[in-house]
Amino acid sequence: MALILDTRHFAVAERADVVRETIASTMVHVDIDFPEERESAAVYGAITDLGRVRVCSVRSNATKVERTPQFARDDLEPRIFLALQIAGSSLIVQDGREAVLRPGDLAFSESTTPYTLLDGDGIRQHFFAIPTADLALPRDAVKELAAVTLSPRHPVADLAAAYFGRIAARPDIFAQPGSDALGHPSIELVRALITTHLDASALGKQPLHATLQLRIIEYMRAHLSDPDLSPAQIASAHHISVRHLYNVLGEGGISLGDWIRTHRLEECRNALSYPAGQFIAIAQLARRWGFRDVSSFGRSFRTAYGMSPREWRDTHPTNPGPRQT
């Protein structure tokens, strides 16, 4: 259910503090400035969740939103805030970069570094908060695109803007059964948005070695369902030795075997959470994502999530019907 923030329901003197406290408790700690010459803070927003994606759609007369250096050092789980401009124009400033957003434009900021949002006519944006870890991308690569306007004529950016704009414009969708299932594909779309822009911009201009870790991760993700995925196969595909493969991943703190197993388990968990997952045989699902031994899959799943695959599926019931075991 959406949390509706409407300052008209509060006393004039309380409105600015209510806005700051609501954003701090649901999104991130920031300073928010409102025009002094106007009577009071005027904000209307809706905040809700789609799985691991938090959506905040807001129209306001706030002219400045700032995540200060002190706030950026808090213990909040690192996340990005993808912004979709609704009306007018605004500016995102972070790490010495500036992104100008006009209606339909996309850009993001990330929570571990100070940033500022500016709009003299009031912040009017849809925000989509996503844990950085869920993107499964190198942290430095993500930070490199913060406060960069994501090309509005780029096909993936066009698709993302239309998709996220439609979601934010339809608050009724959050009350529909199965709406949480939108979270995972939404994160995948943001990941595609970032990686395509990294390929086309800064990383594309650097030596191949600078992009090797990202290319290896993308290759592993694309081949997760291959039960024969191995260090030798991955190294061969990138024309490097197995030893160099481990060194490259080690630079990013990535254990190859753990990464593959974790992401295969995540795919299985997500599939079991969807309505269609109620009717998939668990053994079939395990094999679909590269697990040869169903018993080993079950033990790994329990270790990762504290319950068996069947128990996980039972915590996400849908309309009753025949299930496969």
Side-chain angles (χ1 to χ4, degrees):
M1 181 176 294
L3 168 65
I4 302 299
L5 172 61
D6 188 345
T7 53
R8 294 175 299 179
H9 297 159
F10 299 92
V12 170
E14 300 174 353
R15 293 177 180 177
D17 287 340
V18 168
V19 173
R20 295 185 184 102
E21 291 170 6
T22 301
I23 296 302
S25 64
T26 59
M27 297 292 289
V28 67
H29 290 279
V30 289
D31 282 337
I32 305 176
D33 292 349
F34 295 93
E36 294 180 2
E37 68 273 13
R38 300 187 187 176
E39 184 181 33
S40 64
V43 176
Y44 182 87
I47 304 169
T48 192
D49 291 334
L50 287 176
R52 294 274 286 171
V53 180
R54 177 154 292 176
V55 184
C56 176
S57 182
V58 62
R59 292 179 182 267
S60 73
N61 67 342
T63 57
K64 181 180 179 180
V65 175
E66 182 178 17
R67 183 152 169 84
T68 65
Q70 179 182 359
F71 286 149
R73 292 193 295 270
D74 64 18
D75 58 0
L76 176 76
E77 178 185 21
R79 62 184 69 180
I80 71 164
F81 302 97
L82 181 69
L84 173 61
Q85 188 73 13
I86 299 173
S89 63
S90 65
L91 183 70
I92 297 179
V93 181
Q94 188 169 39
D95 280 339
R97 294 185 296 275
E98 297 182 353
V100 176
L101 275 72
R102 296 180 176 82
D105 285 352
L106 294 164
F108 70 85
S109 51
E110 59 90 20
S111 67
T112 64
T113 307
Y115 63 78
T116 304
L117 311 181
L118 300 166
D119 190 332
D121 294 323
I123 304 295
R124 294 154 293 173
Q125 292 182 342
H126 303 305
F127 296 96
F128 304 87
I130 299 172
T132 306
D134 287 14
L135 294 170
L137 293 171
R139 182 78 58 83
D140 289 345
V142 173
K143 290 171 71 71
E144 191 165 343
L145 269 189
V148 173
T149 305
L150 302 174
S151 308
R153 287 174 295 278
H154 190 285
V156 179
D158 276 348
L159 173 63
Y163 171 82
F164 286 111
R166 184 164 184 174
I167 285 179
R170 288 279 311 278
D172 58 299
I173 199 173
F174 305 119
Q176 299 299 317
S179 61
D180 282 355
L182 291 173
H184 182 64
S186 298
I187 292 173
E188 287 298 295
L189 179 54
V190 173
R191 193 177 64 81
L193 179 66
I194 292 174
T195 56
T196 54
H197 278 75
L198 286 171
D199 288 343
S201 57
L203 285 182
K205 299 174 184 177
Q206 294 176 8
L208 286 176
H209 176 74
T211 66
L212 182 56
Q213 184 183 113
L214 181 59
R215 289 185 285 117
I216 289 171
I217 290 173
E218 289 301 295
Y219 180 89
M220 291 193 297
R221 186 180 296 278
H223 292 80
L224 276 177
S225 61
D226 180 359
D228 295 320
L229 183 64
S230 67
Q233 175 185 335
I234 299 167
S236 176
H238 293 85
H239 310 290
I240 59 176
S241 68
V242 171
R243 179 177 180 179
H244 188 49
L245 168 68
Y246 281 110
N247 288 338
V248 169
L249 293 178
E251 290 172 2
I254 298 170
S255 168
L256 188 149
D258 289 346
W259 192 99
I260 293 174
R261 180 172 56 256
T262 296
H263 285 80
R264 282 175 170 168
L265 288 171
E266 286 179 356
E267 293 292 348
C268 293
R269 178 194 63 181
N270 291 330
L272 290 170
S273 302
Y274 297 155
Q278 306 293 313
F279 310 105
I280 299 175
I282 290 174
Q284 176 186 352
L285 181 65
R287 287 191 291 270
R288 179 184 300 174
W289 286 104
F291 290 98
R292 296 181 184 277
D293 185 340
V294 176
S295 297
S296 176
F297 161 69
R299 290 192 297 270
S300 296
F301 194 99
R302 182 180 291 278
T303 298
Y305 304 119
M307 61 182 72
S308 71
R310 186 172 293 103
E311 290 169 338
W312 177 273
R313 185 173 63 184
D314 289 343
T315 65
H316 298 78
T318 58
N319 295 329
R323 288 181 173 179
Q324 298 188 45
T325 60

